[in-house]
Amino acid sequence: MIQLQGITQAYGAHEALRGIDLDVAPGEIFGIIGRSGAGKSSLVRTINLLNRPKAGKVIVGGRELTALPEAQLRAARREIGLIFQHFNLLSSRTVAQNVALPLELAGVAPAEIRQRVDELLDLVGLADMRDRYPAQISGGQKQRVGIARALANRPKVLLSDEATSALDPETTRSILGLLKQINREFGLTIVLITHQMQVIKQVADRVAVIDAGRIVEQGRVIEVFTRPRHATTRSLIEEIVPQALPESVLARIRALMTGRPAQEAQLLRLAFAGSGTDRPLLSDIVRQHGIDLSIVHGQVDEVQGQPFGSLAVFARGARERIDAATAHLRGAGVHVEEVAHVG
Ligand SMILES: Nc1ncnc2c1ncn2[C@@H]1O[C@H](COP(=O)(O)OP(=O)(O)O)[C@@H](O)[C@H]1O
Ligand SMILES: [Mg+2]
């Protein structure tokens, strides 16, 4: 649905985008995450050519926008909805009038505008707020108005630039829930720009990580979460699933070691994802390989309705038995990392 090919973008001598290639499939929620200044807003503004790239092609719905003359580009932009962090509502217009604006600009007949605005306000749950002004509604409600306005011209693509960054966690959840509902109901393709992994975790199907104007990693969310490769990805995930072991845990492991100098022991980090987590894998491991396992730290969460998590386990037993257990775990799809070897 959206293809970006070799996009570069610069502000004077500063290169904000350095060769971006992306392919967003129809009907998916594609997350783009990065730190402040990474180039996210520059990238999202490139998709609808609010920023024209210095080089590269932008193709949306099979049409190369970078090759269109201005008049056709204006029409093509109507197929791309946009929502913002600070909502960008007109304070002098009511909720209903804000939603009506893009329809007025597109020259839609007044009767049709009224009907479409009613539909949109129902969709975002704001039918009873239609005559209020932006100053009289909450942040979450303002973003619902922003979403209704963005959908007014029935776009094929919705771009969201930090749309939940100004909202509290609970309101964020409800806005993301609404976006997901719209995605499922209308098959709308959504590009979700954020600096929060929590947002990616809640709704994205795939994610790309942007760092200093480059995509450094991308893939299905559950895969990127369980096997992050790039340091930036790891540190962003760290915010929701801490990867480093707290000192208290390490102290407990040292205590477990005292008085057992002869024994081999390893501290392993197990990262797992998907339905395989229903099996009594750890019991199997202990029984079959004759080792001891203590869980010293862990976190289990859910991504896209699938369990995923990370456990630190302290394994004790002969080295070759621990190695066999590790191989067994890997064979079952668990990502195993040796955190520390003691023995
Ligand atoms: N209009 C501009 N003029 C000059 N530099 C800009 C402009 N917009 C963004 N930048 C710079 O480009 C880089 C990427 O910015 P931006 O795309 O806004 O990042 P993000 O949205 O990820 O925070 C930053 O270093 C920023 O300072
Ligand atoms: Mg930005």
Side-chain angles (χ1 to χ4, degrees), residues 22 30-34 40 43 191-194 200 207-208 210 215:
L22 268 188
F30 193 96
I32 298 176
I33 187 164
K40 303 183 298 296
L43 182 59
V191 177
L192 202 70
I193 304 270
T194 181
I200 298 292
V207 63
I210 184 170
I215 303 291

Side-chain angles (χ1 to χ4, degrees), residues 196-234:
Q196 298 170 303
M197 262 308 175
Q198 196 65 35
V199 167
I200 298 292
K201 189 195 107 181
Q202 278 175 54
V203 288
D205 299 307
R206 286 197 299 152
V207 63
V209 181
I210 184 170
D211 189 38
R214 287 198 177 87
I215 303 291
V216 295
E217 179 156 8
Q218 64 171 310
R220 296 205 328 118
V221 170
I222 192 133
E223 278 151 21
V224 171
F225 270 52
T226 36
R227 294 174 191 78
R229 281 183 253 265
H230 194 272
T232 303
T233 318
R234 284 175 189 271

Side-chain angles (χ1 to χ4, degrees), residues 11 14 16 34-43 161-162:
Y11 303 102
H14 178 78
R35 301 269 183 218
S36 174
K40 303 183 298 296
S41 294
S42 301
L43 182 59
D161 189 2
E162 303 271 8

Side-chain angles (χ1 to χ4, degrees), residues 32 101 147 191 216 284 294 320:
I32 298 176
L101 187 62
I147 292 169
V191 177
V216 295
D284 289 352
S294 340
E320 61 273 16

Side-chain angles (χ1 to χ4, degrees), residues 4-76:
L4 301 181
Q5 299 172 354
I7 298 293
T8 64
Q9 171 81 266
Y11 303 102
H14 178 78
E15 282 187 73
L17 302 175
R18 306 162 191 245
I20 301 271
D21 294 305
L22 268 188
D23 196 336
V24 179
E28 78 174 326
I29 301 185
F30 193 96
I32 298 176
I33 187 164
R35 301 269 183 218
S36 174
K40 303 183 298 296
S41 294
S42 301
L43 182 59
V44 80
R45 291 170 60 84
T46 300
I47 298 176
N48 57 15
L49 292 199
L50 285 176
N51 279 358
R52 217 167 241 287
K54 205 169 86 180
K57 283 186 187 177
V58 177
I59 301 162
V60 178
R63 225 170 0 168
E64 192 195 330
L65 301 192
T66 30
L68 291 183
E70 197 55 38
Q72 283 179 48
L73 179 59
R74 261 197 303 280

Side-chain angles (χ1 to χ4, degrees), residues 69-147:
E70 197 55 38
Q72 283 179 48
L73 179 59
R74 261 197 303 280
R77 277 202 190 107
R78 268 185 220 132
E79 295 182 356
I80 306 174
L82 190 54
I83 55 176
F84 311 88
Q85 176 171 6
H86 298 295
F87 325 119
N88 299 15
L89 303 181
L90 293 179
S91 58
S92 61
R93 283 185 159 231
T94 63
V95 164
Q97 288 164 348
N98 266 284
V99 176
L101 187 62
L103 297 163
E104 291 167 15
L105 294 176
V108 176
E112 201 179 320
I113 292 182
R114 268 195 302 279
Q115 193 192 339
R116 180 79 184 130
V117 169
D118 286 348
E119 260 171 44
L120 288 160
L121 290 178
D122 276 340
L123 176 70
V124 301
L126 287 183
D128 50 350
M129 301 274 159
R130 57 176 305 124
D131 296 322
R132 294 222 190 161
Y133 287 89
Q136 300 168 322
I137 60 178
S138 71
Q141 290 165 339
K142 283 180 199 163
Q143 196 54 284
R144 285 170 186 267
V145 178
I147 292 169

